[in-house]
């Protein structure tokens, strides 16, 4: 054993590097309060501090950093949406993603893999042509490919899917990527923390004070905070927060489950999605297959898992890859998805002055983490919605001006 | 929640049932304002609690109401529409 190591062991001093500053208590006043220390909330804090110089900010988290949907998604990043608003928004996000590891000095394991959305029916193929054209118009790389290319790129896939749902084509999206989701929250959190933002975990919001239509403070489990700006970025808990200020919304909560297999040698490079079979699948850097499916069929505010889900998803995965029949499932979990009627998020201002909403992220929130943080920070500082998010305002449900993204949802929910 | 008590067929496995959302009362389309109508079309009570919901027992096509705690996933009671008492 080297002497230095022996001295270190016997010294009794083993300082561990701390990623986040510990704060003893809350301050009485903050310029802005962000509810939710997930990717979106921390990204907003990061860009508020870095781009707008606003550092007297605190992020309140009921649980722990990145413990909600940031740590529960299947980490897929893409921008092949169907509305021009959606495509431009998510494309900006993909571009931000590509520099993020450099920005943070933290390896996010960002891997551009390419993304295939499989078509088993003519109707599905028609929607994909539409998406490909909208994408190309907005400068995003997407194209419809035939069975020959799929056979060449993914040779181990059963193109007939057991005979009952043959694959007739796919939408190929070259920038499709995956990243390590926990590190995204840590990177944004550390970046915000280093610039003076306070992150308070285990601090629950109990109420929001509104005076004459304006936000004046936040009541928490650790005391009252006075502030004039609040950002709500709490995904599946959004309706509970909106109830506190009496704002109605179309958000409804269904659980979304996912699971991973045991690790194996790399064999699947691209990300695969099949809307008809309700399955999406990618292989992580660790070799695990990350598998997701559609929403649970009824409203529930819980993250419980079910055997029905595992059986259904495994059966669909075996239709695509029969040779996986001996592979074990090692983990299964769920997140609470805040769904909207048009499958687009709800971002921007609300009827309460100073209360900003970053919600309705349903099953599509992880990929939008950088751009939502950036646009919400801009919206909070200028009190005007960022041009990229004007199509996602809460008002659209009063004006019947929906932003229909259901055709670009990864699976038919 | 694995068993649901259908008011007609008794206890049956949850896989036989279909969820059709919260029970809502339609405002008068003529008398209501644009805002009231938009609120009815889109908005819902998304917070957890005991809610009244439409469900269907698909093999027998029985539509009925479930009162369910959407946080604990526990059924309070089930009944046919209009027969809650």
């Amino acid at each position: 054993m080297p002497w230095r190591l022996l001295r270190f062991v016997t010294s009794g001093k083993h300082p561990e590097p701390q990623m986040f500053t510990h704060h003893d208590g809350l301050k009485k006043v903050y310029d802005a309060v962000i509810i939710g220390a997930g990717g979106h909330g921390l990204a907003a804090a990061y860009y508020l501090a870095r781009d707008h110089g606003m550092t007297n900010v605190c992020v309140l988290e009921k649980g722990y950093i990145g413990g909600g949907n940031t740590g529960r998604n299947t980490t897929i990043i893409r921008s092949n949406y169907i509305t021009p608003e959606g495509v431009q928004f998510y494309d900006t996000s993909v571009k931000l993603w590509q520099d993020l590891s450099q920005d943070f000095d933290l390896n996010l394991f960002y891997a551009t893999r390419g993304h295939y959305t499989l078509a088993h029916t003519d109707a599905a193929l028609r929607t994909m042509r539409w998406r490909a054209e909208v994408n190309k118009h907005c400068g995003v790389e997407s194209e419809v490919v035939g069975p020959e290319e799929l056979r060449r790129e993914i040779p181990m896939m059963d193109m007939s899917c057991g005979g009952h749902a043959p694959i007739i084509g796919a939408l190929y999206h070259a920038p499709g990527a995956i990243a390590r989701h926990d590190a995204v929250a840590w990177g944004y959190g550390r970046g915000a923390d280093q610039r003076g933002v306070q992150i308070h975990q285990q601090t629950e919001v109990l109420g929001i004070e509104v005076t004459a239509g304006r936000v004046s403070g936040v009541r928490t489990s650790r005391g009252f905070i006075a502030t004039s700006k609040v950002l709500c970025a709490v995904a599946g808990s959004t309706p509970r927060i909106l109830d506190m200020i009496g704002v109605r919304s179309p958000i409804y909560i269904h659980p979304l489950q996912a699971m991973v297999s045991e690790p194996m040698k790399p064999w699947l490079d691209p990300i695969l999605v099949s809307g008809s079979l309700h399955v999406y699948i990618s292989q992580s850097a660790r070799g695990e297959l990350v598998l997701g499916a559609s929403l649970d069929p009824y409203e529930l505010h819980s993250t419980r898992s079910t055997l029905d889900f595992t059986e259904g998803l495994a059966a669909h995965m075996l239709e695509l890859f029969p040779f996986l029949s001996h592979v074990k499932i090692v983990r299964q979990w769920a997140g609470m998805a805040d769904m909207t009627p048009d499958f687009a998020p709800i971002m921007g201002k609300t009827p309460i002055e100073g209360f900003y909403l970053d919600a309705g992220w349903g099953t599509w929130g992880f990929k939008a983490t950088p751009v939502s943080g950036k646009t919400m920070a801009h919206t909070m500082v200028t009190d005007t919605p960022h041009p990229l998010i004007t199509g996602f305002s809460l008002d659209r449900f009063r004006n019947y001006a929906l932003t229909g993204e259901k055709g670009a949802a990864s699976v038919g929910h | 929640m694995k068993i649901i008590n259908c008011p007609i067929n008794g206890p049956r496995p949850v896989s036989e049932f279909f969820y059709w959302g919260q029970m809502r009362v339609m405002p008068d389309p003529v008398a209501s304002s644009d805002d009231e109508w938009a609120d009815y079309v889109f908005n819902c009570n998304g917070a957890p609690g005991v809610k009244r919901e439409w469900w269907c027992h698909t093999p027998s096509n029985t539509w009925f109401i479930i009162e369910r705690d959407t946080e604990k996933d526990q059924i309070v009671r089930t009944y046919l529409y209009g027969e809650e008492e």
Side-chain angles (χ1 to χ4, degrees), chain A residues 71-94:
Chain A
R72 294 167 189 271
N73 56 71
T74 48
T75 79
I76 297 169
I77 295 158
R78 63 188 175 94
S79 61
N80 56 353
Y81 276 72
I82 201 164
T83 65
E85 294 88 344
V87 175
Q88 283 159 17
F89 179 77
Y90 292 108
D91 185 41
T92 311
S93 205
V94 169

Side-chain angles (χ1 to χ4, degrees), chain A residues 239-240 243 248-254 297-302 304 308 341 396-400 402, chain B residues 1 14 19 22 34-35 37-39 41-48 51 53 55 68 70-73:
Chain A
R240 302 180 208 213
D243 255 18
R248 302 255 304 155
S249 87
I251 293 172
Y252 56 100
I253 310 295
H254 284 221
Y298 58 87
E299 179 184 341
L300 186 63
H301 300 258
S302 158
R304 63 95 177 90
D308 289 6
R396 72 181 189 272
F397 299 104
R398 212 180 71 199
N399 306 328
Y400 299 90
L402 270 54
Chain B
M1 190 176 81
V14 69
Y19 168 76
Q22 284 170 41
D34 285 356
D35 282 357
W37 189 252
D39 183 66
V41 170
F42 295 114
N43 292 341
C44 60
N45 170 17
K51 295 181 180 177
E53 305 167 329
W55 285 73
R68 187 173 64 94
T70 61
E71 192 169 12
K72 299 191 186 113
D73 203 16

Side-chain angles (χ1 to χ4, degrees), chain B residues 34-83:
Chain B
D34 285 356
D35 282 357
E36 279 164 9
W37 189 252
D39 183 66
Y40 165 69
V41 170
F42 295 114
N43 292 341
C44 60
N45 170 17
V50 176
K51 295 181 180 177
R52 289 197 292 171
E53 305 167 329
W54 280 110
W55 285 73
C56 178
H57 178 245
T58 45
S60 64
N61 200 25
T62 308
W63 286 88
F64 63 101
I65 309 289
I66 294 184
E67 282 181 14
R68 187 173 64 94
D69 185 326
T70 61
E71 192 169 12
K72 299 191 186 113
D73 203 16
Q74 284 170 358
I75 293 173
V76 178
R77 59 180 183 151
T78 64
Y79 50 85
L80 293 173
Y81 178 69
E83 295 182 6

Side-chain angles (χ1 to χ4, degrees), chain B residues 2-37:
Chain B
K2 289 174 181 164
I3 305 278
I4 293 179
N5 190 28
C6 172
I8 300 288
N9 301 286
R12 305 293 305 168
V14 69
S15 59
E16 291 184 10
F17 292 85
F18 185 74
Y19 168 76
W20 194 246
Q22 284 170 41
M23 193 182 146
R24 303 182 300 163
V25 181
M26 186 173 79
D28 179 355
V30 178
S32 60
S33 68
D34 285 356
D35 282 357
E36 279 164 9
W37 189 252

Side-chain angles (χ1 to χ4, degrees), chain A residues 50-70:
Chain A
R50 196 195 74 172
D51 296 356
H52 303 281
M54 196 167 168
T55 54
N56 186 24
V57 174
C58 86
V59 184
L60 304 177
E61 169 57 50
K62 183 168 73 172
Y64 56 95
I65 288 173
N69 292 355
T70 298

Side-chain angles (χ1 to χ4, degrees), chain A residues 36-235:
Chain A
H40 283 230
L42 293 170
Y46 176 83
Y47 291 115
L48 274 177
R50 196 195 74 172
D51 296 356
H52 303 281
M54 196 167 168
T55 54
N56 186 24
V57 174
C58 86
V59 184
L60 304 177
E61 169 57 50
K62 183 168 73 172
Y64 56 95
I65 288 173
N69 292 355
T70 298
R72 294 167 189 271
N73 56 71
T74 48
T75 79
I76 297 169
I77 295 158
R78 63 188 175 94
S79 61
N80 56 353
Y81 276 72
I82 201 164
T83 65
E85 294 88 344
V87 175
Q88 283 159 17
F89 179 77
Y90 292 108
D91 185 41
T92 311
S93 205
V94 169
K95 286 176 181 141
L96 286 167
W97 273 111
Q98 289 162 354
D99 302 328
L100 223 48
S101 290
Q102 293 283 334
D103 273 14
F104 294 162
D105 193 18
L106 183 71
N107 193 352
L108 302 184
F109 289 84
Y110 185 88
T112 303
R113 299 283 196 89
H115 180 284
Y116 289 96
T117 312
L118 304 175
H120 306 259
T121 62
D122 283 339
L125 203 56
R126 197 160 55 235
T127 310
M128 283 165 198
R129 288 218 172 84
W130 178 2
R131 282 167 71 180
E133 292 311 315
V134 173
N135 286 189
K136 283 182 221 167
H137 181 71
C138 298
V140 169
E141 221 179 311
S142 286
E143 58 182 316
V144 173
V145 297
E148 306 75 35
E149 173 161 347
L150 287 171
R151 239 179 242 118
R152 197 168 57 241
E153 294 298 321
I154 316 157
M156 48 308 255
M157 185 163 66
D158 178 3
M159 293 292 290
S160 72
C161 289
H164 79 272
I167 297 163
I168 57 174
L171 179 69
Y172 177 61
H173 178 55
I178 53 173
R180 182 179 162 212
H181 50 197
D182 303 311
V184 177
W186 300 336
Y188 274 122
R190 187 177 67 174
D193 182 81
Q194 284 168 346
R195 289 170 174 83
V197 171
Q198 293 194 351
I199 302 168
H200 292 277
Q201 303 181 72
Q202 304 290 316
T203 308
E204 186 175 359
V205 170
L206 304 173
I208 291 163
E209 298 292 320
V210 177
T211 317
R214 282 201 62 92
V215 165
S216 55
V218 178
R219 272 189 294 119
T220 77
S221 54
R222 291 169 61 208
F224 180 80
I225 303 168
T227 185
S228 60
K229 285 180 196 284
V230 172
L231 171 66
C232 173
V234 297

Side-chain angles (χ1 to χ4, degrees), chain A residues 310-377:
Chain A
T310 324
E311 287 178 337
L313 177 51
H316 284 315
M317 185 193 63
L318 290 180
E319 286 178 299
L320 288 170
F321 301 110
F323 73 96
L324 293 176
S325 59
H326 63 285
V327 169
K328 307 268 189 301
I329 299 300
V330 294
R331 282 197 307 283
Q332 179 190 3
W333 68 92
M336 290 190 286
D338 43 336
M339 302 300 294
T340 61
D342 56 1
F343 281 58
I346 301 176
M347 300 178 76
K349 298 178 70 171
T350 64
I352 308 291
E353 284 282 310
F355 187 87
Y356 305 92
L357 196 55
D358 176 44
W361 284 110
T363 66
W364 49 86
F366 175 66
K367 66 178 81 65
T369 304
V371 72
S372 70
K374 209 165 169 106
T375 53
M376 287 314 298

